[in-house]
Amino acid sequence: MEKQLTKQNIGVGVAGTGFIGPAHIEGLRRNGIQVLGLAEVNAETARTKAAELGIPRAYDSFDAMLADPDIDIVHLATPNVLHYPHAKSTLLAGKHVVCEKPLAMTAAQSAELVQLASQTGKVNAINFNIRMYPLVQHARSLVQRGEIGELFILQGSYLQDWLLLTTDWNWRLEPDLGGTLRAVGDIGSHWLDLMTFVTGLRVEEVYADFKTFHPVRKKPTRELETFTGKLQQSVDYIEQPVYTEDYATILLHYEKGVRGVVTVAQVCSGRKNRLFFEINGSKSSLAWDGEHPNDLWIGNRTEPNQIVIKDPSLLASDVRSIASYPGGHAEGFPDTFKQLTKKVYDYIFAGDFNKQPDFPTFADGHYEMVLCEAIARSAKESRWIKVG
Amino acid sequence: MEKQLTKQNIGVGVAGTGFIGPAHIEGLRRNGIQVLGLAEVNAETARTKAAELGIPRAYDSFDAMLADPDIDIVHLATPNVLHYPHAKSTLLAGKHVVCEKPLAMTAAQSAELVQLASQTGKVNAINFNIRMYPLVQHARSLVQRGEIGELFILQGSYLQDWLLLTTDWNWRLEPDLGGTLRAVGDIGSHWLDLMTFVTGLRVEEVYADFKTFHPVRKKPTRELETFTGKLQQSVDYIEQPVYTEDYATILLHYEKGVRGVVTVAQVCSGRKNRLFFEINGSKSSLAWDGEHPNDLWIGNRTEPNQIVIKDPSLLASDVRSIASYPGGHAEGFPDTFKQLTKKVYDYIFAGDFNKQPDFPTFADGHYEMVLCEAIARSAKESRWIKVG
Amino acid sequence: MEKQLTKQNIGVGVAGTGFIGPAHIEGLRRNGIQVLGLAEVNAETARTKAAELGIPRAYDSFDAMLADPDIDIVHLATPNVLHYPHAKSTLLAGKHVVCEKPLAMTAAQSAELVQLASQTGKVNAINFNIRMYPLVQHARSLVQRGEIGELFILQGSYLQDWLLLTTDWNWRLEPDLGGTLRAVGDIGSHWLDLMTFVTGLRVEEVYADFKTFHPVRKKPTRELETFTGKLQQSVDYIEQPVYTEDYATILLHYEKGVRGVVTVAQVCSGRKNRLFFEINGSKSSLAWDGEHPNDLWIGNRTEPNQIVIKDPSLLASDVRSIASYPGGHAEGFPDTFKQLTKKVYDYIFAGDFNKQPDFPTFADGHYEMVLCEAIARSAKESRWIKVG
Amino acid sequence: MEKQLTKQNIGVGVAGTGFIGPAHIEGLRRNGIQVLGLAEVNAETARTKAAELGIPRAYDSFDAMLADPDIDIVHLATPNVLHYPHAKSTLLAGKHVVCEKPLAMTAAQSAELVQLASQTGKVNAINFNIRMYPLVQHARSLVQRGEIGELFILQGSYLQDWLLLTTDWNWRLEPDLGGTLRAVGDIGSHWLDLMTFVTGLRVEEVYADFKTFHPVRKKPTRELETFTGKLQQSVDYIEQPVYTEDYATILLHYEKGVRGVVTVAQVCSGRKNRLFFEINGSKSSLAWDGEHPNDLWIGNRTEPNQIVIKDPSLLASDVRSIASYPGGHAEGFPDTFKQLTKKVYDYIFAGDFNKQPDFPTFADGHYEMVLCEAIARSAKESRWIKVG
């Protein structure tokens, strides 16, 4: 008989301590959940980072972590290429898994993971953390209650500047590690997931226009962590051709005649991490900017526009609990990890895995892979591609 | 020998007093230029409106105005369908002309007007007034001086909500009066003109996705002025099919590998008249929102972002004079008419018509027609269409 | 019998063509009213400026303008010290008058002008133009209809940066020309007038704290126009002691227990002309920023906050007509002159001078003088001073 | 010999689990520090809350927690009245202490605590957490490096709406529990601390104007947690007179002739928790709004204004490490607890208590008490009061 997992006894393992691993760890700890063990690229890094982060066990390898019978669940915060094999082996080891996005390198892989998760009956989550901003959830509640009316347009962008310069480098630029899509896979996928989460609408077909503004970049001879390039000292470089997109605009035909368009780019000076969406419906519009996540704009035709501040007393009652602090006390990016972790672990502790999860799962991760493959194909073939 | 036109002796005629005619009249008067005569849809309306607006002469018809030898220049502020015939007859009558956009209903017509203008040697202006916002001109100066670097992306939108409801009606919805393009022709054309004005780049090919969310609208039995529908009392309606686009997104391939995308829609609740553009280059980005025209955002990678306030002391020296008031004294939409009028009439008074105009001309108006026809064709044929 | 004044026959004279005179002239012309004559500091300047501005008559002196029987009304746009003598002689000459603020150099003078205006029965207006922003009028309508509830706090500031540097100079710095108050008189008076206009509340007592950060400034040897110093080339300077305040904060006890506070300063880098007010009541709050005059913020406790955009369809029906352009078409500072002019001249043309004016009059100008004298006295004596 | 405290062995006790206690607990856990024990208003509440929050030990009383030899440090997150006795007994028990603000009910008490802390040599911190926003620290760095120039004005406000209604109630309204100052003590003290932190300037004298808009409030018969009143169901009330201020404006004369003014109020509809400051200097200005803490505005005279986004690569090198996440990944209120905790515990683990702490200490808490008493006295006596 399976042990009843509790906040006190659950054994949590984390793989990866780059940009995003520590965000998972904080999210766990804020929920009063301890991290038991850490796997890293090698045994030495694991030991160093475990000591630094106050994690009791450091493993020689990912497989060693999986082999630890005290580990009940694994968080995958590794480069994209490792998500599929690690998620697969975690599930096969009979453990729950929380995977960073993207779920895999191909839709075939992600489909396999969805099936495997279903077979093993293990809890499977994918970290579409942006869903967990209180005002994103409030937006969803407004749409679902019909406050926006019949939907017309989903528009927006996700813009960053950390890959602006030819000297900016990161593993995400290498298809072998990051995938054949880059801007779309890394950040576009968040936007696409968010729109389906908020509206419940699926994409019927896509049309994409891509561009690589820097076909050659200067790759440093030693590795860099994501985002840290901006603070990098000058080092030795080698010139490296880049085939992944710096820019993409995707036209989207959603179900029910809804039109969509999103622009993603990582070469937009001054935009640090700006996910923006606007939803236009027959009654009202919604707009939200991830760099100012505590405000939600509601656009009206016959009344003044509105700004909803993240304040529990202003949020829809069904999403209120996702705001931990009172109105005007800004919450942010790390809080989304806290909230997603809470939902996943509450679900695990409740123990009823037939219940519909209230967090993103491998099925959502797979859907993004299918969508991204259609987008990549459209960009290549310059035509509308049906999704799924 | 032609009379030397001066602020004191020039005879100005205006056709049309809907939404935009009075803006022309204000623009003239602020420059100390009198309006001599008015033509309207009929003699009676002309008399009533002329009295109301303090214009000395009211004509029985447009032709009667043209026949008045005291009239030296005509402003066309009539429904779109009349631009071509009126511009043509004005030029043929040997008079200067300032035409509202679009210049014509087809590119063939606008080409003819460009040629005719050239033959007659008359001053020909088209009212792409948005070029005349001080911070738009400053943006152009920054781009031209290389402050933004090599250009990558031109992105943005032009969104309104005055045609949100099925009961919203206006002559622009009728192809016979407004043209076969609506949102693109009315407002998209402003955005497209602005981007070419600011960057100097021409479009090589376009791909468009259109949607009409309200295929049937309720047309009131009596006529309404543009924008006034929002204040309309309920009246009798007839159901009328609508074929023009409520929504369009246009993918743009500019010269030099620059990518562009713009979304235009007139059914976006809460967006009253929001023209937004963002230009991303290898050094910096620019962003401007026409609803807050006195701020220009500059996005930087290694320094803080900037907000340029419309302040003569902060503007590029070559565009400084287009700001009439000191910093922090907001200028707006009507001021663009003042500035465009000033440029056109200064040019006329200077009398050297071989000089390159510093205002938009029929050539610019024709370029928009060519572009719009390519867009319409792309939307119809679902493929990239080369421009020109 | 007095001639019935009409838009066609009224004879308008303007005195002064510095920063603000041209704003009056534009305001007149946009209403279809001609400017007949101009007076300036001397005959030569009058002639030059009249030609430049397209004004038919240039006078040798202010008195010569008054002596012109065709002049029915005079706009005073001269340095502060001249307002009282010129307003007085205009009224005594039996002409209407529109005076720039402040109305006089002392409350005794302004009281005399109020009395004189009453005796002569002439129309008397003072240019508190900021009242004429559509959203200021909408704010007033909301307060008066009880939408804000019982009023608690009126807070705000008026900040500029054009006198930041010790090399910034203007006649307003000289008490003989500008008055013994500077920041408070120039800009604070606008804020104070606005609060009384919007709320209907009078001040019972004031407490003021002043500071002159630059006790010595460098005065250029030749004269500069207001605000143009920012664009000035270096010139010869003389050191000049300055006694007027760079900074003031004024505590205000309004009627009915309402509390107020305003900070005014002209040495605030980056603030070009930022008049900000916030009104807090038992139901809602209002906030408005004069650098972004087309938005009005409404703060709510139990519903989302709101942003009212200047859109005729969103404005209170009683103030709708003060917005000339549709929603999203920004209006600004020059439009306030158009609207104030319209109200004054409509009143004049209607001819019933017993009717309550819907524009600010000498009585309002006098009230500001009384208030400013109390403020100056409080700053000097460091104690609360009762007003009036 | 004292035990060398480490992240692994330190014994942390927390008192209080209202609004702010959990914020401390999260801050600890995010730093990999466990909470060992909890004290609450009574044994039962302690047990319930400890179980809920996953804290191993629940004490019968605060004294019981102090008596636990495994406890090395205590966080005081209790109502204000308890800060002094608990801080005192904690120090006397030979333990370190992190106290919520205000430090005490009187300056005499806080002086005693400063002295006691000095005598015992124990680490003493006060939770002026707002200092820990990355852009606040960047602002301080800019001021200290002379980027703002000579300082002129410190202005701002701290506005909330959670005590707007007469039915809003909280222990902070009761002088016996919260102190004789309310808005000033609760939130004004944060603003005052921040200004001294950022500028290094002390206040020389103060002048205060207070107002209680609701002299009688409706107190519910059962207790409410801070801020939760907004979500409260209707309950039974009793009418209770209120003597503490709903509103205060404080004029401040800082050292070196710098002027200050701050308005604090808890009845400002729509302002949830808006701490705003603006600092004007001879070179530039700074402005920051705690509801949008990831932006810092820099106002310039001769260059465009700037917006610094919280991005490690844009922050001063000496404060960079206080931003945990890359640019555009918003951080917020809970992150300030993480950063303050980090500084306090790094200091403790380093073990050199002669070193100048880089976090706020009891000396800072005492300074606020002295300042607040001067403010209260000024409000009562309507005159300037010297500080200290």
Side-chain angles (χ1 to χ4, degrees), chain D residues 273-352:
Chain D
N273 190 44
R274 190 171 188 268
L275 186 162
F276 174 81
F277 69 77
E278 175 166 338
I279 296 174
N280 308 108
S282 61
K283 285 189 191 167
S284 293
S285 298
L286 293 173
W288 185 80
D289 164 8
E291 290 190 355
H292 298 94
N294 296 290
D295 294 329
L296 176 70
W297 180 86
I298 303 179
N300 298 314
R301 161 65 186 267
T302 55
E303 290 170 58
N305 294 337
Q306 294 166 294
I307 305 284
V308 188
I309 292 182
K310 185 229 68 172
D311 181 320
S313 75
L314 296 172
L315 296 180
S317 57
D318 55 324
V319 304
R320 184 171 295 154
S321 67
I322 209 169
S324 290
Y325 290 90
H329 294 74
E331 298 182 47
F333 180 79
D335 301 276
T336 61
F337 286 79
K338 170 183 162 186
Q339 303 298 348
L340 192 136
T341 300
K342 184 176 187 328
K343 286 190 185 288
V344 171
Y345 282 77
D346 281 354
Y347 183 87
I348 290 173
F349 299 148
D352 174 8

Side-chain angles (χ1 to χ4, degrees), chain B residues 7 10 12-14 20-35 73-75 97-100 123 125-133 137 322 333-350 358-360, chain C residues 26 325:
Chain B
K7 200 172 277 201
I10 195 165
V12 179
V14 171
I20 213 69
H24 284 258
I25 294 167
E26 281 197 341
L28 288 157
R29 288 173 167 170
R30 293 172 81 175
N31 282 287
I33 297 163
Q34 307 303 324
V35 179
I73 180 169
V74 171
H75 287 245
V97 61
V98 176
C99 187
E100 260 306 317
V123 173
I126 183 144
N127 187 38
F128 283 123
N129 65 300
I130 301 177
R131 292 188 183 191
M132 297 298 149
Y133 279 105
Q137 301 241 340
I322 210 169
F333 180 78
D335 301 275
T336 62
F337 286 78
K338 168 181 162 186
Q339 302 299 348
L340 192 138
T341 301
K342 184 176 189 326
K343 286 189 186 291
V344 172
Y345 282 77
D346 281 354
Y347 183 86
I348 291 173
F349 300 148
D358 59 351
F359 51 84
Chain C
E26 282 197 340
Y325 289 90

Side-chain angles (χ1 to χ4, degrees), chain A residues 125-259:
Chain A
I126 184 144
N127 188 38
F128 283 124
N129 65 298
I130 301 177
R131 292 187 183 191
M132 297 297 149
Y133 280 104
L135 288 170
V136 165
Q137 300 243 338
H138 185 65
R140 183 177 184 244
S141 179
L142 290 171
V143 171
Q144 291 186 346
R145 283 182 285 133
E147 299 285 337
I148 310 308
E150 184 192 348
L151 298 186
F152 291 156
I153 311 168
L154 315 183
Q155 51 182 311
S157 55
Y158 199 152
L159 309 177
Q160 298 179 328
D161 72 0
W162 68 287
L163 293 175
L164 175 69
L165 308 175
T166 55
T167 49
D168 292 325
W169 190 263
N170 183 266
W171 60 258
R172 290 158 202 262
L173 289 157
E174 304 189 56
D176 290 352
L177 300 176
T180 50
L181 289 177
R182 191 213 328 147
V184 171
D186 259 16
I187 56 180
S189 58
H190 272 299
W191 192 95
L192 293 164
D193 177 72
L194 214 52
M195 286 302 91
T196 291
F197 175 69
V198 169
T199 67
L201 294 172
R202 297 266 163 167
V203 177
E204 289 181 344
E205 54 179 2
V206 298
Y207 189 97
D209 186 34
F210 280 16
K211 177 80 179 181
T212 305
F213 294 107
H214 295 315
V216 175
R217 284 175 181 264
K218 296 186 170 67
K219 179 182 176 176
T221 50
R222 65 183 180 79
E223 208 168 338
L224 296 179
E225 284 182 5
T226 303
F227 283 110
T228 60
K230 288 187 184 179
L231 291 167
Q232 206 56 35
Q233 302 302 320
S234 68
V235 291
D236 290 334
Y237 294 106
I238 54 167
E239 295 218 330
Q240 180 100 359
V242 172
Y243 304 103
T244 54
E245 76 286 1
D246 289 320
Y247 159 88
T249 292
I250 308 156
L251 303 174
L252 299 144
H253 287 176
Y254 284 92
E255 300 169 281
K256 302 182 187 173
V258 173
R259 284 296 184 265

